[in-house]
Amino acid sequence: MKVAYVFATNMSSTFKLATMILPQLEQGIHSAEVVGMMFFDDNIFCLRQGDPVGERLAKIAKEKNILLMVCDQCAVRRNLAEGTFEQCGLGQVKPKGLVEGVQTGCFPQLYQALASNPPDQVITL
């Protein structure tokens, strides 16, 4: 089964991702194939360059071809992307200060990025 995770609730990346999902992916025991992860609000902070969770996640994402995407508007608001609010949703906002491989976007970019390897289920945490 292929899954995509959406980290939308408070602390879902620092608790559920960092202490459950990521260790399982690293150990090869997660069971489901993770094809993508989308981060909203303060959950994007774990993807800053130098953050231990983000660096570990970037490594495993590269190995397993997992899409890592942050909400472009959330990133602009937190100075983790270059662009304006008017560019959000258009694929024009670029990541800044985030771990290697992270993309910025909104739902149109997420759908496009997952189109070639769609999940069977999307899980919102």
Side-chain angles (χ1 to χ4, degrees):
M1 169 180 30
K2 295 180 184 180
V3 299
Y5 290 109
V6 177
F7 297 96
T9 61
N10 187 30
M11 294 186 62
S12 61
S13 64
T14 56
F15 175 59
K16 295 165 187 92
L17 172 63
T19 66
M20 291 184 252
I21 298 167
L22 182 55
Q24 291 171 4
L25 288 170
E26 291 171 327
Q27 296 171 37
I29 61 169
H30 192 60
S31 296
E33 177 186 350
V34 180
V35 296
M37 296 183 182
M38 179 70 169
F39 296 78
F40 288 93
D41 303 317
D42 287 346
N43 289 300
I44 70 173
F45 285 131
C46 77
L47 296 173
R48 289 179 290 191
Q49 289 176 347
D51 184 279
V53 171
E55 296 292 346
R56 288 171 47 210
L57 184 58
K59 180 181 179 216
I60 201 84
K62 186 175 182 178
E63 291 172 7
K64 297 186 178 286
N65 194 33
I66 299 171
L67 169 72
L68 299 179
M69 184 176 283
V70 296
C71 164
D72 51 10
Q73 190 174 139
C74 299
V76 168
R77 289 183 187 281
R78 289 159 180 81
N79 198 32
L80 291 172
E82 294 185 8
T84 65
F85 293 121
E86 293 76 27
Q87 294 175 303
C88 291
L90 301 174
Q92 299 173 348
V93 174
K94 303 298 177 208
K96 176 177 78 174
L98 297 172
V99 296
E100 182 182 346
V102 174
Q103 300 176 33
T104 55
C106 194
F107 291 105
Q109 292 75 43
L110 178 63
Y111 304 147
Q112 182 179 8
L114 290 174
S116 63
N117 191 19
D120 299 310
Q121 294 187 22
V122 176
I123 301 169
T124 302
L125 300 170

